[in-house]
Amino acid sequence: MALREQLESDIKDSMRSRNKSRLETLRFLKSQIQLVEKNQLKELDEAGLLDVVAKQVKERRESLTMFEQGNRSDLA
């Protein structure tokens, strides 16, 4: 199954199971993919999708580290 199809399937499963945090995360990821596609004026292939996912994971990890260093457990 392609990554895009898997993302759509996971969003539907999260809605059915009422898993709000997972649903929000998947929707955010989908919106970031759409934003990159809009900026590049083309549909991303599997490698491009993986790059977007990897970039978002890296940004979230960096944010978490910075919040913990700043004693902001409420944001972490």
Side-chain angles (χ1 to χ4, degrees):
M1 182 180 289
L3 185 59
R4 187 179 307 274
E5 294 168 354
Q6 182 66 43
L7 181 61
E8 290 295 329
S9 174
D10 289 345
I11 288 173
K12 290 177 185 176
D13 291 341
S14 297
M15 283 190 278
R16 286 185 195 114
S17 66
R18 299 179 192 262
N19 188 341
K20 186 177 178 181
S21 61
R22 183 172 187 236
L23 179 61
E24 289 174 356
T25 302
L26 293 171
R27 282 182 173 166
F28 175 77
L29 183 57
K30 182 179 176 184
S31 70
Q32 291 302 307
I33 290 170
Q34 290 173 337
L35 180 66
V36 170
E37 288 178 335
K38 181 179 176 185
N39 289 339
Q40 293 182 1
L41 300 175
K42 65 177 183 175
E43 189 171 321
L44 296 174
D45 58 353
E46 290 293 313
L49 293 174
L50 288 174
D51 288 342
V52 173
V53 172
K55 180 181 176 191
Q56 294 304 314
V57 168
K58 181 181 176 190
E59 286 180 10
R60 300 302 158 254
R61 285 186 178 152
E62 289 174 354
S63 297
L64 181 62
T65 302
M66 294 184 80
F67 289 143
E68 288 173 347
Q69 289 174 353
N71 293 323
R72 296 296 309 262
S73 60
D74 58 320
L75 296 175

